[in-house]
Amino acid sequence: KNMAASKASRFGLPLDARDHHPHSHHRHSHGSHGSRGVKYLLYACVAILLITSLSLALVVKGTQQANQELRQQLITEEQRYNRLKQTIAEEKVVIVDAEERTRHADMLATQCRLELDSKIADAEEARQKVQELDVLVKQAKEEARECEDRVSRGLGVIETLTKNSTIKN
C-alpha cells in the first residue's frame, strides 16, 4: 500500500484517503487502484497514438515535400527534353536544307563541267578548222603565185609578139 501511495504521490496524483493508514488491518476493495491503472494505460495509449500520429504526419509531410520536389524535377526534365527535341528538329531542318543546297551545288558543278567540256571540245574543233584554213590559205597563196607567174609569162609573150609585129610593120 505504501509503495502504491508513494508512487502515486511521486506522479502528483491524488492519494486515496485510506492510503494514509498503513496499520489499518481490514481489507478493502482495490477497485479504485484498478481503475487508476486503466486510466494510466489509457493516457499512455493516447500519448502513444498522439506521438505515432505526429510522426506519421511528419513522415507524410516529408513524403509530400519529396514528391513535390520530384514532380518539379520531372517538369524541369520534361521541359529540357522538349527543348532538346525542338533543337533536334531545328537541326534536322538545317541539315535537310544543307543537303538540298549541296545537291543543288553538285548539279550546278556537273552542269558547269559539262559546259566546260563542251567549250573545250568546241575550242579543239575550232583549232582544227584554223589549221585546215591555214593549209587552204597556203594553197591559195601558192596558186596565186603560180597565176602571177603565168600572167607575167603571158605578158612577156604578148610583149614579145607586140615588139615583133611592130618591127614587121
Side-chain angles (χ1 to χ4, degrees):
K1 257 196 221 170
N2 270 352
M3 235 167 75
S6 68
K7 267 186 193 168
S9 66
R10 200 181 310 142
F11 290 117
L13 295 164
L15 296 173
D16 199 333
R18 287 170 292 185
D19 288 339
H20 289 293
H21 305 289
H23 300 295
S24 137
H25 290 288
H26 67 277
R27 290 235 166 244
H28 52 266
S29 155
H30 290 274
S32 66
H33 291 298
S35 69
R36 195 182 288 158
V38 169
K39 228 186 276 180
Y40 294 151
L41 195 62
L42 279 173
Y43 288 151
C45 285
V46 167
I48 288 169
L49 279 172
L50 274 172
I51 290 168
T52 307
S53 56
L54 276 173
S55 303
L56 278 173
L58 283 172
V59 167
V60 166
K61 194 173 180 189
T63 306
Q64 281 176 342
Q65 207 169 345
N67 278 352
Q68 192 61 37
E69 285 170 16
L70 281 174
R71 209 171 289 126
Q72 195 53 51
Q73 278 182 1
L74 181 68
I75 288 167
T76 306
E77 286 302 312
E78 276 180 347
Q79 286 170 346
R80 213 175 109 229
Y81 170 73
N82 286 334
R83 277 198 304 273
L84 283 172
K85 226 165 59 174
Q86 181 65 31
T87 305
I88 288 169
E90 287 167 8
E91 289 298 318
K92 273 184 184 167
V93 168
V94 168
I95 288 168
V96 167
D97 190 43
E99 284 174 346
E100 191 57 41
R101 273 190 289 200
T102 303
R103 248 196 310 280
H104 189 61
D106 279 349
M107 251 167 46
L108 283 177
T110 303
Q111 208 174 323
C112 287
R113 223 173 282 123
L114 288 172
E115 285 175 15
L116 185 64
D117 288 348
S118 168
K119 282 175 183 165
I120 289 171
D122 288 351
E124 181 58 31
E125 205 176 304
R127 194 182 62 79
Q128 284 176 356
K129 277 183 184 162
V130 165
Q131 280 182 339
E132 288 170 13
L133 286 172
D134 207 26
V135 168
L136 288 175
V137 166
K138 279 180 186 165
Q139 283 177 356
K141 277 183 183 173
E142 195 66 37
E143 286 172 14
R145 206 174 295 120
E146 284 174 15
C147 280
E148 278 175 20
D149 287 350
R150 268 189 247 129
V151 165
S152 62
R153 272 200 303 268
L155 284 175
V157 168
I158 288 169
E159 207 174 292
T160 308
L161 287 173
T162 308
K163 276 181 189 171
N164 288 345
S165 69
T166 308
I167 291 168
K168 282 179 186 165
N169 286 336

